[in-house]
């Protein structure tokens, strides 16, 4: 926006008109205020003992900066405790999020007990004229008991004659909640005489 004016007056002694001519102010940039959109992200499933990351991404969809932005992740109190914060956020805060840009913050958490966990991903700062702006999102994570494999090897018949066939069966079970992927076995090791 540009502001322009002209000042006119009359000389008291001579009666003639005087003017400044056009007077122009320095242009004023009028921008839309900063607006924050917050989105959280985390892996949908983790295992007990696993460290995992929860991220908060803030996007300023306005034109003006959002200053003093402070992000946060939190979980409601749970007993037994299912997750513990290890570190974060990275980068540190508060920060300025320029209009039309995004900033992602990362926390590291440790899974300590099985069950569903809902994280609150939030943050806020100020924009034009000190107006407070903030955003909120939720992220769901399921903490599972680690995969735990057990095996049972059976040979039938238990007693065999030389040259007789023997059926060997291996049964593998997973007593954990997390899937066990890429299950493989080593070659069967045969020892003894017979």
């Amino acid at each position: 926006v540009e502001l322009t004016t002209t000042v006119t007056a009359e000389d008291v002694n001579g009666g003639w008109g005087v003017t400044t001519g056009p007077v122009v102010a320095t242009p004023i940039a009028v921008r839309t205020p900063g607006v924050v959109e917050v989105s959280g992200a985390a892996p949908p499933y983790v295992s007990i003992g696993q460290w995992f990351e929860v991220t908060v991404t803030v996007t300023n969809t306005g034109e003006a900066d959002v200053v003093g932005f402070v992000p946060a992740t939190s979980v409601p109190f749970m007993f037994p405790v299912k997750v513990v914060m290890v570190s974060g956020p990275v980068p540190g805060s508060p920060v300025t999020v320029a209009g039309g840009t995004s900033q992602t913050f990362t926390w590291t958490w440790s899974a300590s007990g099985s069950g569903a966990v809902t994280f609150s991903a939030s943050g806020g700062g100020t924009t034009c004229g000190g107006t407070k702006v903030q955003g909120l999102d939720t992220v769901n994570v399921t903490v599972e008991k680690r995969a735990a494999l057990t095996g049972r090897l059976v040979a039938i018949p238990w007693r065999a004659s030389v040259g007789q066939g023997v059926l060997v069966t291996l049964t593998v079970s997973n007593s954990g909640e997390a899937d066990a992927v890429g299950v493989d076995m080593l070659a069967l090791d045969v020892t003894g005489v017979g």
Side-chain angles (χ1 to χ4, degrees):
V1 173
E2 289 187 8
L3 303 174
T4 305
T5 189
T6 301
V7 178
T8 60
E10 183 178 305
D11 182 289
V12 73
N13 296 324
W16 56 78
V18 291
T19 182
T20 61
V23 179
V24 179
T26 304
I28 301 171
V30 178
R31 301 182 295 175
T32 60
V35 177
V36 295
E37 292 180 359
V38 171
S39 64
Y45 296 93
V46 296
S47 294
I48 293 174
Q50 179 181 347
W51 284 20
F52 62 99
E53 293 182 347
V54 176
T55 62
V56 173
T57 300
V58 58
T59 302
N60 180 351
T61 60
E63 295 173 331
D65 294 348
V66 172
V67 297
F69 185 84
V70 177
T73 60
S74 61
V75 292
F77 176 76
M78 298 171 283
F79 188 80
V81 174
K82 295 181 176 112
V83 293
V84 175
M85 186 188 307
V86 176
S87 65
V90 175
S93 65
V95 299
T96 295
V97 183
T101 66
S102 296
Q103 175 70 55
T104 298
F105 302 89
T106 304
W107 285 260
T108 301
W109 290 76
S110 173
S112 56
S114 65
V117 179
T118 299
F119 288 87
S120 292
S122 61
T126 58
T127 189
C128 304
T131 304
K132 291 183 180 181
V133 291
Q134 56 190 14
L136 175 67
D137 192 16
T138 57
V139 180
N140 295 312
V141 175
T142 300
V143 180
E144 298 179 321
K145 293 178 185 171
R146 290 180 176 189
L149 300 181
T150 55
R152 181 169 183 251
L153 189 62
V154 176
I156 299 176
W158 290 5
R159 294 177 188 240
S161 301
V162 173
Q164 181 182 357
V166 176
L167 174 65
V168 178
T169 305
L170 172 63
T171 303
V172 178
S173 300
N174 177 5
S175 60
E177 295 171 328
D179 292 342
V181 297
V183 176
D184 197 6
M185 69 171 257
L186 299 175
L188 192 59
D189 187 18
V190 180
T191 57
V193 290

